Amino acid sequence: MNIIFLGPPGAGKGTHAADFSKELGIPHISTGEIFREAVKNETPIGLKAKEFMDRGELVPDEVVVDVVLDRLKRDDCQKGYILDGFPRSLPQAEMLGQKSDSELTAVIYFETCKDVILMRLTGRWMCRGCGKGYHIKNLPPKVAGVCDECAGELYQRADDKVDTIEHRLTVYNQETKTLIDYYKNKDILIQVNGDFEKQEGHEELEGVFTKLKSNASC
Ligand code: AMP
């Protein structure tokens, strides 16, 4: 099960990837989360990535691809993985195809409308400790400002400000959207409804994974 979750910011990729990673026993690899961790720890990659992330721009392809290829070599990816937020440009997709040993099973594309994206991102809170995502209305924590899972402090991402969100969407339309056709042409694209609330979206994805598993066992 080598899966890519593709879609705009705020499509629910991270939320569903976290759940299905547990259900399927494969790692959830979020490049955004890897970079946020690197920024927090002030590593050389974090220092490089920060300026791009703060502006809502893409971190350069070579930097991202190296990080992902290294991560895919780890033992926990033997049974598969869910890539969330990668690839985000045609060169990244091509380099993944050329340089990774593992063949992709499917690319799941979350089609999502702009109103839903804005509503989700402007109300989003994240845990500083474990990275778990919350939403003030749709998925509030039990205690305001505190993570249910690890009691870490919740914060709003700097790039979840309205101006930066608009810019991230422009970047998505210019750089990432082209991957829908790229993977459609490879016959591995599966479209799901990114506008669904969490439970409905989970059920749709459960159907997708059940089919993928039965195809794999044929
Ligand atoms: P995300 O958490 O997926 O929204 O990513 C947060 C930020 O990390 C993005 O706005 C980019 O600046 C950077 N980033 C994450 N993944 C990639 C990628 N595949 N290519 C370039 N930049 C990325």
Side-chain angles (χ1 to χ4, degrees):
M1 279 281 180
N2 301 326
I3 306 290
I4 287 174
F5 276 8
L6 175 68
K13 306 185 298 297
T15 306
H16 290 301
D19 287 350
F20 281 94
S21 149
K22 281 187 205 141
E23 281 189 23
L24 299 167
I26 54 178
H28 166 201
I29 303 174
S30 153
T31 40
E33 205 45 52
I34 293 174
F35 287 133
R36 277 186 289 282
E37 196 59 27
V39 169
K40 193 166 84 183
N41 296 326
E42 298 183 352
T43 67
I45 284 179
L47 296 176
K48 208 180 279 179
K50 187 176 182 329
E51 53 172 314
F52 296 96
M53 295 173 77
D54 285 349
R55 292 200 303 263
E57 278 169 21
L58 295 188
V59 175
D61 289 334
E62 321 75 64
V63 177
V64 192
V65 170
D66 281 353
V67 165
V68 171
L69 291 176
D70 261 8
R71 179 65 186 84
L72 294 182
K73 280 186 200 133
R74 296 214 329 232
D75 283 349
D76 63 344
C77 293
Q78 297 263 321
K79 276 191 356 201
Y81 50 78
I82 301 176
L83 272 173
D84 157 22
F86 179 92
R88 254 176 157 103
S89 70
L90 198 52
Q92 290 181 16
E94 286 170 349
M95 281 190 260
L96 177 70
Q98 287 155 14
K99 296 187 179 174
S100 157
D101 300 331
S102 52
E103 190 137 323
L104 288 173
T105 311
V107 175
I108 301 180
Y109 164 52
F110 292 68
E111 200 195 38
T112 318
C113 73
K114 190 169 170 187
D115 289 352
V116 172
I117 293 172
L118 289 175
M119 182 273 294
R120 284 189 186 145
L121 294 185
T122 50
R124 177 160 82 171
W125 288 74
M126 310 279 292
C127 173
R128 261 191 221 291
C130 66
K132 186 174 160 61
Y134 293 88
H135 188 276
I136 9 175
K137 269 208 248 129
N138 301 342
L139 198 65
K142 290 186 188 118
V143 178
V146 182
C147 178
D148 296 349
E149 305 263 318
C150 75
E153 181 200 358
L154 302 187
Y155 74 104
Q156 280 194 292
R157 277 171 49 174
D159 60 352
D160 279 347
K161 289 190 215 101
V162 177
D163 286 356
T164 320
I165 294 171
E166 288 286 352
H167 187 59
R168 286 160 67 201
L169 289 175
T170 305
V171 171
Y172 171 79
N173 287 325
Q174 286 170 348
E175 304 281 341
T176 313
K177 233 179 158 180
T178 180
L179 298 181
I180 300 169
D181 281 341
Y182 178 80
Y183 286 119
K184 210 182 261 173
N185 290 335
K186 291 190 181 295
D187 230 6
I188 51 171
L189 193 92
I190 299 168
Q191 182 168 321
V192 295
N193 188 341
D195 292 344
F196 278 158
E197 300 272 320
K198 190 175 176 210
Q199 186 52 33
E200 227 179 341
H202 188 91
E203 282 161 19
E204 186 180 19
L205 283 166
E206 236 156 20
V208 168
F209 281 113
T210 304
K211 264 199 204 133
L212 288 174
K213 278 192 248 172
S214 78
N215 290 350
S217 62
C218 283

